[in-house]
Amino acid sequence: MMKKIAGVLLLAGLVLVCIGCGGGSSGGAASSTVEGSEYKDTITWGQGADVTSFDPHVGRQTPAVQVTNHIFDTLVQFDGTSSEVIPQIAESWEQLSPTSYRFHIRQGIKFHDGTDLTAEDVKYSLDRAVASSMISYLMDFISETIIEDPYTVVVNTHFPYAPTLRNLSVPFAAILPKAYTETDPDSQAKKPVGSGPYKFVSWTQSDSAVLEAFADYYADPPKTKNLVMKVIPEASQRTIALETGEIDLAYDLPSNDHKLITGNEKLSLFLAPPLSLFYLSMHMEKAPFENKLVRQAISHAIDRQLIIDTVVSGAAQAADAIIAPGVYGYYSAGVDQYDPELSKQLLAQAGYPNGFTTNLWVNNNQERVEVSTAIVDMLREVGITAKLEVMEAGAFWDKTDNGEHEMAFFGWITSTKDADYTYYSLGHSSKFGPGGNTSYISEPQVDALIEKGRNSTEPATREQAYKDLAILLADLTPYISIMYSPISVGGNKLVENFEPDPIGYHRLENVQVRK
């Protein structure tokens, strides 16, 4: 049975939580952006890692999207409050058949370079996204995009695909200006041009990025003129920067700092329900991880509850699958029991009675390093010597995308809240490396169940496929799920209208900060 942690499961039933929030919105006053108003003209937030690429079809990591989701828009968007897909670039759409959708593009939308957004840009962007090795797992359900007229496109899919609209709402499905991007294929990586509420101003690598409100944005103008993202790798330093007023918002707060925030009358703690999974990936094409018994032994050597209680102060939930309970298609196959004696027995059966030596890679996120350190200590107790290697985030992602790791500690968010997003990326044999399958699992039965779930629009068929898949993966153990963790953000109490995104892609165009 899945372990439950008192107080944490309450988070799963909440859409948004703000602990110690002050003020809130202030009606008409909150919309004032004129010079000399009571609001600051700049919002500054701190995050733990820099943007890997401003190109939304490449920079899929959360630290990149936290910036680029202000620069680019998508055909449709997902309303986290209502869980409905709502218009954005497409003002309306209709489903023509089980495999065909017609989108009517909003006229008058401008890109930041002053050019008009048309069907040509939509087709170009979707074709480019499908071809991207970084995000094809999200977009390769599309068979073709057809231009019907300058403001109408038809998107055809290879098969009836239930999450079509949800996938098109994810920031990786951003619409780019064809002319600008085609002229220099690398232009979007460092000097992005989109149609979103903010335009790119500057980037100082490993330090900061600056955005400015786009005057010609098709929707309501942003409430604050400037956004500044500051890279602050050390979590404790982000908290200090928040306390001193250097930043207005601190993303990805470690659980141990929550009490510092709630205990400070000038600060607020924002929590969103746990959709984030933290897990170990083992490269199954490398010895000894090709042996299922070894993978199972590692899982039983890890005391998830002890990690939760000590490292994250109880602010997490033991994970029993690679998707969280709030995701469509979730099924609990049970948390692997902590049993070091069983772990030793499995290692002996696998031919490693004295254990073995390996490495464990992790990026330099403080909380992830602490969890990985605890895992290394637990593995040592059953005879496994794992050398912990801490890397800068960008280097970590590059190396693991290339399959250079033996074991690595990852975070993952099911951004569409649909099981296909995660199972297809992390489990399908066509998605090795950059596609998300960092365990390099290649099992025909797993592929078949993934395809059954994604090729059907019948809820009962999909749910049965995902139940069978969860049970199968629990036995194969290509990944070791450790914990589900809520999204946490610290804020100055002068911040108004901020709502934490459960996926971590926080939007700031409606946020203001009182002077």
Side-chain angles (χ1 to χ4, degrees):
M1 295 293 293
M2 185 172 71
K3 297 177 184 177
K4 297 183 179 179
I5 303 164
V8 175
L9 286 182
L10 177 62
L11 290 171
L14 301 177
V15 176
L16 300 169
V17 178
C18 177
I19 302 171
C21 293
S25 67
S26 56
S31 64
S32 174
T33 57
V34 298
E35 187 176 354
S37 75
E38 59 188 309
Y39 294 102
K40 295 169 60 176
D41 67 0
T42 301
I43 296 172
T44 303
W45 81 88
Q47 60 185 47
D50 199 3
V51 175
T52 49
S53 172
F54 287 94
D55 187 332
H57 299 162
V58 176
R60 71 188 189 279
Q61 297 85 3
T62 298
V65 180
Q66 286 168 338
V67 178
T68 60
N69 67 345
H70 296 94
I71 299 172
F72 299 94
D73 280 343
T74 48
L75 272 179
V76 295
Q77 57 184 325
F78 184 73
D79 188 321
T81 302
S82 67
S83 295
E84 294 181 355
V85 175
I86 59 177
Q88 195 166 67
I89 286 173
E91 60 184 354
S92 64
W93 60 89
E94 60 261 10
Q95 187 169 358
L96 305 177
S97 75
T99 60
S100 189
Y101 297 76
R102 177 183 286 125
F103 293 91
H104 302 280
I105 300 164
R106 196 183 304 272
Q107 297 189 33
I109 295 180
K110 296 282 188 181
F111 285 113
H112 301 156
D113 62 359
T115 59
D116 293 325
L117 190 157
T118 69
E120 287 279 352
D121 303 296
V122 173
K123 174 178 170 53
Y124 169 78
S125 299
L126 296 184
D127 289 349
R128 185 175 186 264
V130 170
S132 169
S133 63
M134 295 295 184
I135 63 163
S136 62
Y137 68 89
L138 177 77
M139 303 299 294
D140 64 5
F141 66 92
I142 297 175
S143 62
E144 61 178 342
T145 301
I146 300 171
I147 297 173
E148 286 195 335
D149 65 45
Y151 293 96
T152 308
V153 297
V154 172
V155 175
N156 293 324
T157 64
H158 290 287
F159 43 80
Y161 184 62
T164 292
L165 293 176
R166 282 180 177 247
N167 282 32
L168 290 172
S169 73
V170 174
F172 319 147
I175 304 304
L176 285 56
K178 177 182 178 181
Y180 174 78
T181 311
E182 269 190 333
T183 300
D184 178 2
D186 297 325
S187 58
Q188 294 287 4
K190 295 184 178 180
K191 293 184 178 180
V193 171
S195 64
Y198 285 90
K199 61 183 181 181
F200 174 83
V201 175
S202 64
W203 178 43
T204 304
Q205 194 167 3
S206 301
D207 180 76
S208 60
V210 179
L211 309 180
E212 182 182 6
F214 180 42
D216 292 328
Y217 189 53
Y218 80 90
D220 292 336
K223 298 292 181 66
T224 301
K225 182 179 179 181
N226 306 304
L227 299 182
V228 176
M229 179 279 290
K230 292 187 67 67
V231 180
I232 308 176
E234 291 289 335
S236 60
Q237 292 301 313
R238 290 199 296 280
T239 301
I240 291 171
L242 185 64
E243 291 173 325
T244 60
E246 179 185 347
I247 59 176
D248 303 300
L249 294 163
Y251 292 175
D252 306 318
L253 284 179
S255 304
N256 291 334
D257 280 4
H258 288 186
K259 289 183 180 179
L260 293 176
I261 302 300
T262 57
N264 188 327
E265 62 181 10
K266 295 182 179 180
L267 304 179
S268 299
L269 175 65
F270 300 90
L271 296 175
L275 290 176
S276 300
L277 167 72
F278 294 97
Y279 66 97
L280 274 184
S281 176
M282 298 159 288
H283 199 309
M284 292 171 56
E285 292 184 341
K286 297 181 180 180
F289 304 110
E290 81 284 5
N291 191 319
K292 178 176 74 172
L293 297 178
V294 169
R295 302 192 300 270
Q296 291 176 343
I298 292 173
S299 186
H300 287 291
I302 298 172
D303 189 339
R304 293 159 176 80
Q305 192 62 56
L306 181 61
I307 289 173
I308 289 167
D309 291 343
T310 57
V311 178
V312 300
S313 303
Q317 174 181 329
D320 56 351
I322 60 173
I323 58 173
V327 174
Y328 174 82
Y330 164 80
Y331 178 81
S332 173
V335 176
D336 275 353
Q337 181 182 3
Y338 170 59
D339 191 338
E341 291 306 313
L342 174 59
S343 180
K344 292 176 183 177
Q345 293 172 21
L346 290 168
L347 286 172
Q349 292 175 35
Y352 297 93
N354 299 315
F356 57 89
T357 299
T358 185
N359 63 48
L360 172 56
W361 290 1
V362 64
N363 73 29
N364 57 355
N365 174 284
Q366 179 181 328
E367 198 161 85
R368 297 186 191 191
V369 172
E370 291 176 1
V371 172
S372 298
T373 300
I375 290 172
V376 167
D377 290 341
M378 293 171 183
L379 293 181
R380 186 180 298 114
E381 293 299 314
V382 300
I384 299 173
T385 300
K387 179 184 177 182
L388 185 64
E389 296 187 35
V390 181
M391 303 179 183
E392 183 274 326
F396 172 83
W397 289 318
D398 286 343
K399 287 178 176 292
T400 53
D401 278 349
N402 290 332
E404 298 174 32
H405 60 289
E406 294 177 5
M407 288 197 302
F409 187 79
F410 288 93
W412 182 267
I413 303 175
T414 306
S415 298
T416 61
K417 296 187 180 179
D418 187 284
D420 177 69
Y421 179 92
T422 292
Y423 281 133
Y424 184 53
S425 179
L426 270 59
H428 199 275
S429 61
S430 67
K431 298 302 167 191
F432 286 172
N437 184 349
T438 53
S439 76
Y440 289 77
I441 180 174
S442 179
E443 290 284 344
Q445 191 176 356
V446 170
D447 284 355
L449 286 170
I450 291 171
E451 290 162 10
K452 183 178 180 180
R454 77 190 323 248
N455 293 1
S456 175
T457 57
E458 292 295 327
T461 300
R462 301 190 75 216
E463 289 162 15
Q464 185 63 51
Y466 294 136
K467 175 181 177 180
D468 295 342
L469 188 56
I471 294 170
L472 177 59
L473 289 176
D475 176 60
L476 294 174
T477 321
Y479 299 102
I480 297 175
S481 303
I482 305 297
M483 62 186 181
Y484 305 122
S485 181
I487 296 291
S488 60
V489 176
N492 189 303
K493 273 217 172 113
L494 298 175
V495 172
E496 297 183 354
N497 303 321
F498 176 77
E499 294 182 350
D501 182 76
I503 300 168
Y505 305 155
H506 312 299
R507 296 294 296 246
L508 301 177
E509 61 261 41
N510 292 320
V511 178
Q512 292 177 287
V513 183
R514 287 187 176 274
K515 292 181 178 178

